[in-house]
Amino acid sequence: MTHANTSAVVCRNVGRAFGTNGTSRQILTNIDLEIAAGEIISIIGASGSGKSTLLRALGGLDVGFTGEVLIDGTAVAAYDPRCAIGFQEPRLLPWATVTDNVAIGLPEGTPKSTATARVAELLDLVGLAEAADHRPREISGGMAQRASLARAMARDPEILLLDEPFGALDALTRIKMQQLLLDVHAQTGTTTVMVTHDVDEALLLSDRIVLLDASPHTEGATIANIFTPPAPRPRASHDPALVVLREALLAGLGVEPLASSKG
Amino acid sequence: MTTLEQTERLLETTSPATPPDTDGTGTALNTTNPADTTRFIDRKGVKPAVGFLVPVVLLVAWWVVAAAEVFTAVQLPPPVAVFEAAVGLIQRGDLWSHIGISVQRVLLGFGIGAVLGMIFGAILGLSRWADALLTPLLGALRAVPSLAWVPLLILWMQIGEDSKVTLIAIGAFFPVFTTLYAGLQHVDPHLVEAGRAFGYKGFRLFKTVQLPAVVPSIFSGLRLALAQAWLFLVAAELIASSMGLGFLLTDSQNNGRTDRLILAIILLAVLGKITDTLLGLAEKRAIARWT
């Protein structure tokens, strides 16, 4: 289950334009990024900066990009089986139980006995064992998001892609989910790429934070900066080093630091 | 005595041979005043029972009008005459064969049409090539009025069961096809993408995501198709048959047997309602399971 040092993501000059009838709009341009196996990467940026577009390219959910995305040295395929995604919305099948929804994530051809045990294990891990037979409409948003995470992990991916997975959750549930993500990562060591617009979330969870912003040279967003939070996890949000980094990140996002926060 | 009990008592006394007295009906109606019904109507069994009230009133009105001889017996025979017509046909052994053959034709035609409608709806709803290739043709065929098929079907298949069942199948095909086809266009693209992201494609994706998502559309299509099947049954039997409820209609018209004619209409209403109710129950269970 551990993929440490076995997989890495490489983006070379990745760009993506959307358009119809000849009018095309460049969303991403000139993205160069290398992700080491086992890293947790956050992609952060203002709305419309192409965060999700980049994530979708990494997972092969969208293969209309230019440039190269390599996983383990080979090009990403459409709906690449080496990746698993946790969407912004849980996207659970409303007619299926939590168990069956998590089982959707299992690789095709998983033997039934293995499947049952694996799903039960994952439900335990995300604390949904008691809700195993519930339908999505019978569980809370936080539980649904945990089911979605378990489904992604059921694929036993080399790369776990998360698109603002905790964005819609209340503050308390979000903290629990972030802790859960770190626990799971500590167990599996899965390379994780997460889109977020929450600066604190990025600071607490990531090995590196990729800031997307409008390219100074051409149309579209590109990597404006990559930040590396100094302290090892778990981190305290009031750590002075993080406070400095937070201001730098906010400045990068175009938010003026408050005078009072300048110690 | 509750309204329900009164209604039930009323229903027990509504066989055409012994029509209820008008006073009884009046009492039953008066007790269902708005203040009571708002809470009472939600109780189990009350709503179906209340649904019988207006038919009962109509029956009584029919009986009164016929008894007053406003129309001739050929124009409007009394309820008793219709009941006696039914008894007569049962004694001759004809009624059950008329009903049996009609039900058989409807079920066969409906089954064949619904299965084909689901197959075509699924293929055209999922494959862009099949969609581009066949949807215009099916749209044009759908525009052909049902009766226009009859001469051709008779020419090809003669006047037998095949031509009738085929006509009914045509009638049942289009509602199922159309609703499934449209339903598949509107499956939540987020769910489909999630399925694809986890490696589902082709039939496996259809079975896991798209088919369960369109269960409600399939059932509304099936119910429309069933109504169409009864419609096309009568069309088929009116034109060319020697048995069945549609035949009973034309035969009675030709012989001036208005009592049998009305009996056939009532039987069509009852059978149509029964089959629709059964399908409705299946629909309810399926929707509870798949949504």
Side-chain angles (χ1 to χ4, degrees):
Chain A
M1 223 178 290
T2 306
H3 298 293
N5 302 320
T6 59
S7 66
V9 181
V10 178
C11 298
R12 281 199 204 119
N13 196 21
V14 170
R16 179 67 168 112
F18 290 101
T20 44
N21 307 332
T23 57
S24 141
R25 205 161 68 90
Q26 194 76 25
I27 300 297
L28 289 176
T29 181
N30 207 14
I31 303 273
D32 283 300
L33 178 65
E34 294 201 13
I35 300 171
E39 262 192 307
I40 300 180
I41 299 287
S42 287
I43 302 172
I44 202 162
S47 309
S49 60
K51 305 185 291 285
S52 295
T53 307
L54 178 57
L55 195 79
R56 293 169 62 82
L58 294 182
L61 271 74
D62 166 29
V63 289
F65 56 83
T66 57
E68 261 188 316
V69 175
L70 304 176
I71 297 174
D72 259 345
T74 55
V76 71
Y79 304 110
D80 200 298
R82 293 169 293 182
C83 302
I85 188 158
F87 296 97
Q88 203 168 345
E89 328 77 26
R91 299 199 191 180
L92 303 175
L93 302 177
W95 53 82
T97 61
V98 169
T99 300
D100 292 343
N101 266 295
V102 173
I104 295 279
L106 294 166
E108 191 176 356
T110 307
K112 206 163 185 189
S113 54
T114 323
T116 314
R118 177 89 178 112
V119 171
E121 180 195 339
L122 285 168
L123 288 178
D124 238 16
L125 184 66
V126 299
L128 283 178
E130 288 185 5
D133 296 326
H134 287 29
R135 300 277 198 88
R137 63 162 174 262
E138 297 166 332
I139 62 177
S140 69
M143 290 163 91
Q145 215 37 280
R146 275 185 276 162
S148 165
L149 181 63
R151 178 180 61 185
M153 281 157 43
R155 216 176 187 204
D156 197 13
E158 292 177 31
I159 320 288
L160 180 63
L161 304 169
L162 301 172
D163 189 358
E164 295 191 31
F166 316 136
L169 303 178
D170 65 272
L172 196 62
T173 313
R174 190 181 312 168
I175 293 170
K176 287 181 185 165
M177 290 291 292
Q178 290 166 351
Q179 191 53 52
L180 174 66
L181 184 68
L182 288 182
D183 290 347
V184 166
H185 183 262
Q187 274 194 34
T188 62
T190 308
T191 312
T192 303
V193 183
M194 180 175 71
V195 163
T196 182
H197 53 223
D198 181 341
V199 170
D200 288 302
E201 184 168 275
L203 285 168
L204 288 175
L205 300 181
S206 341
D207 293 307
R208 287 188 295 156
I209 302 167
V210 173
L211 174 69
L212 293 186
D213 202 1
S215 164
H217 312 297
T218 169
E219 200 192 354
T222 190
I223 297 178
N225 210 338
I226 298 182
F227 300 88
T228 310
R233 289 182 297 264
R235 300 180 186 130
S237 57
H238 51 76
D239 184 321
L242 288 195
V243 173
V244 174
L245 201 52
R246 178 183 298 116
E247 284 188 13
L249 262 170
L250 287 172
L253 289 166
V255 181
E256 287 295 314
L258 295 171
S260 61
S261 67
K262 290 182 177 173
Chain B
M1 189 186 257
T2 66
T3 314
L4 178 57
E5 282 163 345
Q6 284 178 347
T7 312
E8 279 171 351
R9 193 182 60 130
L10 206 66
L11 294 174
E12 282 164 14
T13 59
T14 49
S15 76
T18 54
D21 61 313
T22 39
D23 286 351
T25 317
T27 324
L29 284 176
N30 286 341
T31 51
T32 56
N33 65 65
D36 278 18
T37 46
T38 43
R39 279 167 292 125
F40 189 71
I41 192 81
D42 293 327
R43 281 197 217 161
K44 201 170 157 53
V46 171
K47 220 175 155 189
V50 168
F52 278 101
L53 283 177
V54 175
V56 166
V57 169
L58 286 176
L59 187 66
V60 170
W62 173 18
W63 179 76
V64 169
V65 169
E69 291 181 0
V70 179
F71 303 102
T72 65
V74 174
Q75 285 171 322
L76 185 70
V80 186
V82 174
F83 180 73
E84 281 165 0
V87 172
L89 282 172
I90 289 171
Q91 280 166 351
R92 284 171 50 190
D94 285 353
L95 190 63
W96 301 127
S97 46
H98 284 312
I99 292 175
I101 194 72
S102 286
V103 169
Q104 180 188 316
R105 285 166 182 159
V106 162
L107 293 184
L108 264 178
F110 169 70
I112 294 168
V115 167
L116 289 176
M118 278 195 238
I119 291 172
F120 276 83
I123 292 173
L124 271 61
L126 293 173
S127 157
R128 285 187 201 182
W129 271 103
D131 185 17
L133 205 62
L134 293 176
T135 303
L137 173 70
L138 281 170
L141 289 178
R142 191 179 157 207
V144 177
S146 60
L147 293 181
W149 293 107
V150 174
L152 190 64
L153 291 175
I154 289 175
L155 199 71
W156 282 351
M157 304 182 186
Q158 281 79 50
I159 301 172
E161 288 309 294
D162 290 355
S163 57
K164 290 182 195 63
V165 170
T166 305
L167 184 68
I168 295 165
I170 291 173
F173 172 84
F174 284 105
V176 177
F177 165 75
T178 312
T179 45
L180 179 53
Y181 174 79
L184 284 171
Q185 318 283 316
H186 293 113
V187 174
D188 183 355
H190 276 172
L191 287 184
V192 176
E193 187 186 53
R196 288 191 194 282
F198 288 102
Y200 285 71
K201 55 191 169 196
F203 183 70
R204 196 159 158 256
L205 181 69
F206 175 67
K207 197 183 65 176
T208 312
V209 179
Q210 286 141 328
L211 183 62
V214 296
V215 162
S217 322
I218 290 177
F219 270 93
S220 49
L222 286 176
R223 290 183 80 169
L224 286 169
L226 189 62
Q228 284 272 82
W230 283 104
L231 191 78
F232 278 50
L233 167 88
V234 175
E237 289 182 343
L238 273 178
I239 290 163
S241 67
S242 53
M243 259 208 298
L245 294 170
F247 166 74
L248 188 61
L249 284 172
T250 35
D251 191 50
S252 309
Q253 184 200 11
N254 294 338
N255 297 326
R257 291 295 301 263
T258 319
D259 50 350
R260 286 188 185 170
L261 217 156
I262 292 176
L263 174 70
I265 289 172
I266 291 175
L267 284 173
L268 284 168
V270 169
L271 289 171
K273 182 66 187 160
I274 288 173
T275 47
D276 183 62
T277 304
L278 291 176
L279 197 54
L281 289 175
E283 179 184 26
K284 229 173 162 181
R285 291 182 62 160
I287 285 178
R289 171 66 189 85
W290 295 107
T291 49

